[in-house]
Each structure stands twice: as structure tokens, then as C-alpha cells.
Amino acid sequence: MVSDDALFGPEAADYARYRPGLPDAAVRLLAATQHGVPDPVLLDLGTGTGQVPRALLPVLHRLVHIDLVDVNESMLEAARAALEPVNSVCTVDVFTGAAHTFTPAAPGRAPTLITCSRSFHWMSRPQVLSMAGRVAAPHAVVAIMGDGSLWTHQADWTAALRELIQSYLGEDRRAGTRGTYAGPGRSYEDDLADSAFSEVTEHAFPVARTWKSEDVLGYLRTTSFARPALFAGRHSAFEAAALRLLQEHARGGVLKEDAVFTVLLARRPGGDA
């Protein structure tokens, strides 16, 4: 686990600008889990630049407190700044560190909704769920969410882009500050089945995205498999080659991605459905 700004710190601004947001239907689903909860409290793990709370606040006006957790101080600074306008109606705390080490800053703020979007694979998952079991309200909902990446997406243009990345960085998918990505050893559903939050429902939301070539380059700078530091001085050459490739594949100036955003909602047995 990377515990400082070495991985994504320099790309925090690009992360906020180029990472796709949450589908509206997924946001409404998360908000619906808090119906009947008088004072909802959100714990967002691996918050990055705060995409989840920024998406939830306009539809879940009753949020009284948000805890933002990330290993990356630059990301947390961006998230805190984005949420600054809500401080008069919703308090915000930040916790810098691995998700499984989180402890609430003040008593009486047991989270009623714990979210983890596109980041669970980076975490010590059983330990994270154990922590959630300790700090969460009795009827809390845990939401594990994600939709893969342009590395895993299957399309002609993403396959060509993946091959270009591999021509610079090697066949294996790079991850972290060094090393390669092997993928989770077991499914998130199995992780949840062995946790306090063993009642799980899956919700899948198809998402059709269009990308401009330049925005794909911005997105790649935020990934663990194509971030600039991996290219050892050849990043400018890579981006020039990638831009030519993307422009050749674009139709009408855009590249299409058909993704599926999956939300696993987990509760303690007997929790409200």
C-alpha cells in the first residue's frame, strides 16, 4: 500500500478533471439507501478528489457529516477544497492513511453509508470491512463500486492503446510505484460474505461515454498503468504517439466507451433492504 503522494500526488488536478464521474442512477441508488435515516453520515474510503460526496450532496441534502479517507494528501486537499462550500450545513473531516486504519475524529458520528469507488482493489479488503464493522451504525450500508478502466475495456481503440502502452512499459500491466497488477485474489462478493456485511445485492448500470483524444491522455496520466513517471523520460514521446493513434480511431472527433458501473450494496444480516 502506497502511503504518501508518490503514486497520484502530482496528478491530483488531472484526476479531478479527467476521471469519469458516477452515473446519475448509481448516485440515486446510494441516496435511496439513506431514506428514513434522520442524520446520514458518509464515510468515503479512497475518496480521491471527493467524487462520491460531491455527487451525493445535491441529492442527499440531509447529510450531516462526511469523513474523507485517502492515503494521498494532495487528493484530500482537492476533495476538502471542493466540499468547502457545504461546511455550514455539513461538517467534513479528513483522514490521511490506509482505509483500514480509519478512526472517527469525534464520537457520535457512526457512518450510515460507507462508500468505496474504484479503489477497493488497492486496499487490505478484509481489514477494511473489519474496520467498517467496528465504526458503522447498526443499519449502515456499505457500497463497493467500480467500472473497470480503459485498460480492461474491450474496443478496437482501447486494444490499440493498450498495445502502445505495452510497447513502452512491457507486456504486464504496471501498478503502484513499481511492480505489476495481478488483480484481486478473490471476488469482492466473497470478501463481503466473510464480513459483518454479508447481505449483498448487485446493481449494474450501463454507461455510454464519449472521449476526446486529449481527454484520454489526461485520464491516462491519472492511472497506475500509464502515469508519467513510469516512462522514464519518454512520456512526451508516448503522448505524441498516443494522440496520433487516438485521432486515427476517433469517429467524428470522439471515441466511444460502453461501460458497466457496478454497485455492490452490503448490509448486516437483518438490516433494512
Side-chain angles (χ1 to χ4, degrees):
M1 168 65 71
V2 180
S3 57
D4 55 28
D5 278 7
L7 184 53
F8 292 125
E11 285 78 45
D14 282 341
Y15 196 103
R17 180 177 177 181
Y18 295 112
R19 282 288 175 118
L22 278 65
D24 290 344
V27 175
R28 291 194 297 271
L29 174 70
L30 295 176
T33 69
Q34 301 303 288
H35 288 172
V37 177
D39 298 306
V41 173
L42 172 66
L43 169 59
D44 189 33
L45 304 175
T47 193
T49 55
Q51 277 193 342
V52 172
R54 286 190 287 117
L56 270 173
L57 278 165
V59 295
L60 188 55
H61 305 288
R62 295 176 296 106
L63 266 179
V64 297
H65 181 73
I66 300 169
D67 279 305
L68 306 172
V69 179
D70 207 286
V71 297
N72 188 294
E73 290 185 2
S74 297
M75 293 287 191
L76 284 171
E77 289 173 9
R80 190 208 292 268
L83 294 172
E84 188 69 30
V86 308
N87 277 346
S88 60
V89 294
C90 176
T91 56
V92 179
D93 283 331
V94 299
F95 181 93
T96 307
H100 69 273
T101 67
F102 169 77
T103 55
R109 289 178 175 169
T112 58
L113 176 61
I114 300 176
T115 53
C116 186
S117 180
R118 301 180 177 128
S119 58
F120 201 43
H121 57 286
W122 287 111
M123 300 178 183
S124 301
R125 301 192 305 275
Q127 290 177 283
V128 168
L129 294 171
S130 178
M131 174 278 294
R134 291 192 302 272
V135 305
H139 297 290
V141 176
V142 173
I144 309 297
M145 303 175 282
D147 54 357
S149 69
L150 292 185
W151 180 281
T152 58
H153 180 62
Q154 300 300 312
D156 289 346
W157 69 273
T158 54
L161 182 61
R162 188 162 54 245
E163 290 176 3
L164 178 65
I165 295 169
Q166 289 169 322
S167 74
Y168 278 82
L169 300 180
E171 192 73 17
D172 293 332
R173 176 179 172 178
R174 301 291 290 274
T177 53
R178 53 188 176 273
T180 59
Y181 179 71
R186 66 176 190 166
S187 71
Y188 296 165
E189 290 87 344
D190 287 342
D191 290 331
L192 290 164
D194 288 342
S195 77
F197 304 92
S198 57
E199 288 197 354
V200 181
T201 57
E202 179 176 330
H203 306 262
F205 302 99
V207 181
R209 298 190 183 105
T210 56
W211 295 82
K212 294 181 180 179
S213 299
E214 294 80 1
D215 291 342
V216 174
L217 297 185
Y219 165 86
L220 290 177
R221 291 193 291 269
T222 74
T223 68
S224 63
F225 59 80
R227 64 192 189 87
L230 294 173
F231 290 83
R234 298 191 298 161
H235 186 250
S236 294
F238 163 74
E239 283 209 333
L243 183 59
R244 289 193 297 270
L245 181 154
L246 293 168
Q247 289 173 338
E248 289 170 1
H249 281 81
R251 299 291 180 268
V254 299
L255 300 141
K256 294 185 178 180
E257 178 197 8
D258 293 312
V260 177
F261 192 90
T262 301
V263 182
L264 298 176
L265 292 184
R267 298 172 170 84
R268 293 181 173 94
D272 293 336

